[in-house]
Amino acid sequence: MLTRFSRKTPAFIFAATLWSLPAFSMAQDKAVEYITTTLSPTVTMIKGRGGNVAVSAGEDGVFIIDDQLEPLTDQLLASIRTISEQPIRFVINTHYHGDHVGGNEDIGKSGAVIIAHDNIRVRMNRDEFNHFLGDTTPAWPKESLPVVTFTDQVTLHLNGESVSVTHVPHGHTDGDSIVFFPSSNVLHMGDIYFNGLYPYIDLDGGGSVQGMISAVELGMELANAETQVIPGHGPLSNLGELTAYHDFLAAARDNVQALIDQGMSLQQAVDAKPTAPWDDTLGKVWITPEQLVIFIYNSLTGVSQFTALDPAETTTE
């Protein structure tokens, strides 16, 4: 198994790879199946390898939400061209991870304007060390960086609707945004929402479990029973499933907080298995139960990085 990653082979590919592929050994640049799902007359979801992409195409042109992995940009663009031959005018990045911003460089060079929260440009413009990965992602090229940034919210008035991009503080990272298409009734949650697997909370990137929960609650407020919800990873979803995801996150947080209140150490909390009710259904895809407990425990105790445990100290059954 790989133990070191660069910007071109980010570890965040794992979530998408494990969701759809049987083995790590498949070449990253191998032909990928791109599945397009029409959600409204103007909005289409693309599922490939990396974060799920949304495409808005209409009389005003094309804009996209996220652009997956750098080595696969040509394949993604080919999929987008099956929806519209018009050039991409804007790219919205939901956060800074390589499986969501990898296409920025080539698409930016083609003339598209990249839009993201202020913190995304900051993080992409410098080397970023991540304790969970044990590796440094180097600063991205100038052409990859967002050229329009915002603090709280920005709205795009294109293709017949006013699309709101709203920052959700300290969720999956400190630069996450969720994107709502009110007329199409489509909500893109980015990596605030991992559908069908345990979420990755990037503590080094300013993420927190409470921020994740609060961001999901905002998504629930925007959605209704007919809203089509695009997760960062996993299949197309809806309000009911998003609500169930929220309830899981809140219960897992509460379970870990109860152990903290009892004075348990991180190791003791992991050994207590506070995520046991969901481990079989969500904990066998990418993030393990132990890792999720570490994310939550460290988040609740103010530790802003992942803490690797000593295997010799872990209780086994």
Side-chain angles (χ1 to χ4, degrees):
M1 181 174 293
L2 296 174
T3 55
R4 187 167 178 81
F5 311 92
S6 69
R7 189 180 64 241
K8 291 182 179 292
T9 54
F12 307 107
I13 187 175
F14 277 17
T17 300
L18 285 171
W19 185 260
S20 59
L21 300 174
F24 289 112
S25 58
M26 296 188 71
Q28 185 174 319
D29 57 354
K30 186 175 180 178
V32 173
E33 180 184 12
Y34 285 86
I35 300 171
T36 60
T37 303
T38 300
L39 306 183
S40 79
T42 56
V43 180
T44 302
M45 171 180 163
I46 298 180
K47 188 170 181 59
R49 189 158 335 152
N52 291 325
V53 173
V55 179
S56 174
E59 62 181 8
D60 297 321
V62 174
F63 72 91
I64 65 174
I65 301 170
D66 290 339
D67 47 35
Q68 297 196 339
L69 292 154
E70 183 177 2
L72 302 176
T73 303
D74 288 345
Q75 294 182 50
L76 173 63
L77 291 175
S79 180
I80 294 171
R81 284 193 292 272
T82 68
I83 300 167
S84 174
E85 291 284 351
Q86 298 181 83
I88 297 171
R89 294 184 60 188
F90 300 97
V91 177
I92 299 167
N93 291 148
T94 61
H95 62 288
Y96 76 100
H97 290 158
D99 61 335
H100 293 258
V101 304
N104 278 16
E105 182 176 5
D106 287 346
I107 297 173
K109 286 179 179 177
S110 72
V113 176
I114 301 170
I115 303 170
H117 184 262
D118 298 331
N119 291 342
I120 295 180
R121 181 178 172 93
V122 171
R123 291 191 178 277
M124 291 183 68
N125 202 30
R126 69 189 185 197
D127 294 352
E128 287 276 321
F129 181 78
N130 185 287
H131 288 82
F132 178 64
L133 305 178
D135 196 20
T136 298
T137 300
W140 290 77
K142 177 182 177 182
E143 293 83 2
S144 294
L145 301 178
V147 296
V148 175
T149 63
F150 62 93
T151 301
D152 298 314
Q153 187 176 66
V154 66
T155 303
L156 280 73
H157 305 275
L158 293 168
N159 297 330
E161 58 188 322
S162 299
V163 181
S164 62
V165 186
T166 304
H167 174 54
V168 283
H170 299 289
H172 172 60
T173 71
D174 62 8
D176 294 276
S177 294
I178 61 176
V179 185
F180 185 51
F181 297 79
S183 298
S184 296
N185 201 7
V186 172
L187 176 64
H188 195 309
M189 293 292 295
D191 277 6
I192 292 296
Y193 184 17
F194 286 72
N195 186 17
L197 65 165
Y198 275 157
Y200 169 50
I201 304 173
D202 184 358
L203 300 177
D204 285 275
S208 71
V209 65
Q210 186 54 53
M212 290 274 282
I213 293 168
S214 297
V216 174
E217 289 171 350
L218 174 60
M220 291 163 59
E221 292 174 8
L222 293 171
N224 59 35
E226 286 74 45
T227 304
Q228 299 176 90
V229 180
I230 302 174
H233 297 278
L236 184 67
S237 190
N238 54 51
L239 176 58
E241 292 176 347
L242 183 65
T243 301
Y245 174 76
H246 166 271
D247 293 346
F248 138 69
L249 278 178
R253 174 205 58 195
D254 292 346
N255 288 354
V256 175
Q257 184 64 60
L259 301 179
I260 294 170
D261 293 343
Q262 294 173 36
M264 286 195 183
S265 67
L266 174 57
Q267 183 66 69
Q268 290 170 328
V270 168
D271 293 342
K273 302 186 185 303
T275 61
W278 310 279
D279 287 349
D280 286 342
T281 54
L282 302 178
K284 296 182 177 180
V285 183
W286 180 41
I287 296 299
T288 68
E290 175 185 294
Q291 290 167 340
L292 181 64
V293 174
I294 295 172
F295 291 145
I296 296 173
Y297 186 102
N298 282 5
S299 174
L300 294 174
T301 56
V303 178
S304 58
Q305 65 186 51
F306 182 81
T307 305
L309 297 178
D310 184 350
E313 297 180 3
T314 303
T315 300
T316 58
E317 297 181 351

